Amino acid sequence: MNKTDFRFSTPLRVRWSEADPQGIVFNGHYLNYADVGVTEYYRELRADAGVQPGEGLDGSEFFAARTLLDYKASALFDDLLDIRLRIARFGNSSMSFVVGIYRGDTLLVSGEIVYVHANQQTRRPEPIPESFKAAVRRFETRPPEEAGAAVQG
């Protein structure tokens, strides 16, 4: 995983409350860092695509269904982290973010977060709107893989 695999990044400074007495970030905070990245990703996607929050989702929402983090090195108190994300895959009702958390050029944590698109009332999965997929395709420099799409070699 290279930093160049991502169009989107956002900085995040490690706070004292996130580190143990030796100054090492507690592992649970990396999921919070990834979540900050997802929020900022959506904010930039909206700005880039001119999409307003919730637009085109019509009573639906994305819910986290799976997270996977692979720890490679530790962040330390006061490190300036570079949180990088991209939507790497679309299914019918799910999508996968790839996450890279860096300190400079050093990859500290890699991971994946899978979200399911669902009706807000019933919490039942629904297809991801094409308008949302189109906005992501325009935003990303590396297009997401799509279920049912032909693989080009």
Side-chain angles (χ1 to χ4, degrees):
M1 174 182 305
N2 295 317
K3 288 175 85 170
T4 58
D5 291 339
F6 302 93
R7 172 187 176 183
F8 172 79
S9 72
T10 190
L12 189 145
R13 174 94 44 199
V14 174
R15 296 167 295 207
W16 178 252
S17 64
E18 298 162 345
D20 66 17
Q22 291 77 38
I24 298 171
V25 170
F26 174 68
N27 62 354
H29 289 293
Y30 294 100
L31 187 54
N32 287 332
Y33 298 164
D35 190 57
V36 167
V38 169
T39 299
E40 295 304 321
Y41 179 98
Y42 283 134
R43 181 174 285 118
E44 192 164 318
L45 177 65
R46 285 192 307 265
D48 184 75
V51 177
Q52 296 304 310
E55 183 178 326
L57 295 180
D58 300 326
S60 62
E61 183 63 78
F62 287 100
F63 297 93
R66 177 177 184 264
T67 57
L68 173 69
L69 296 178
D70 185 17
Y71 301 95
K72 300 173 184 309
S74 296
L76 305 172
F77 165 66
D78 207 36
D79 278 351
L80 181 59
L81 304 179
D82 183 11
I83 314 300
R84 293 186 174 246
L85 289 99
R86 68 181 174 86
I87 294 178
R89 187 194 63 78
F90 280 124
N92 181 47
S93 62
S94 67
M95 67 179 180
S96 298
F97 276 97
V98 171
V99 179
I101 300 176
Y102 293 83
R103 178 182 51 235
D105 289 330
T106 302
L107 177 62
L108 304 178
V109 174
S110 63
E112 177 187 38
I113 305 173
V114 177
Y115 286 93
V116 173
H117 180 253
N119 180 288
Q120 287 178 329
Q121 300 302 314
T122 66
R123 302 290 199 258
R124 303 294 304 159
E126 294 182 345
I128 298 172
E130 183 55 37
S131 59
F132 180 82
K133 289 182 178 182
V136 170
R137 285 186 210 107
R138 286 189 306 272
F139 179 75
E140 291 286 359
T141 54
R142 184 174 173 183
E145 294 176 14
E146 300 201 34
V151 176
Q152 297 181 4

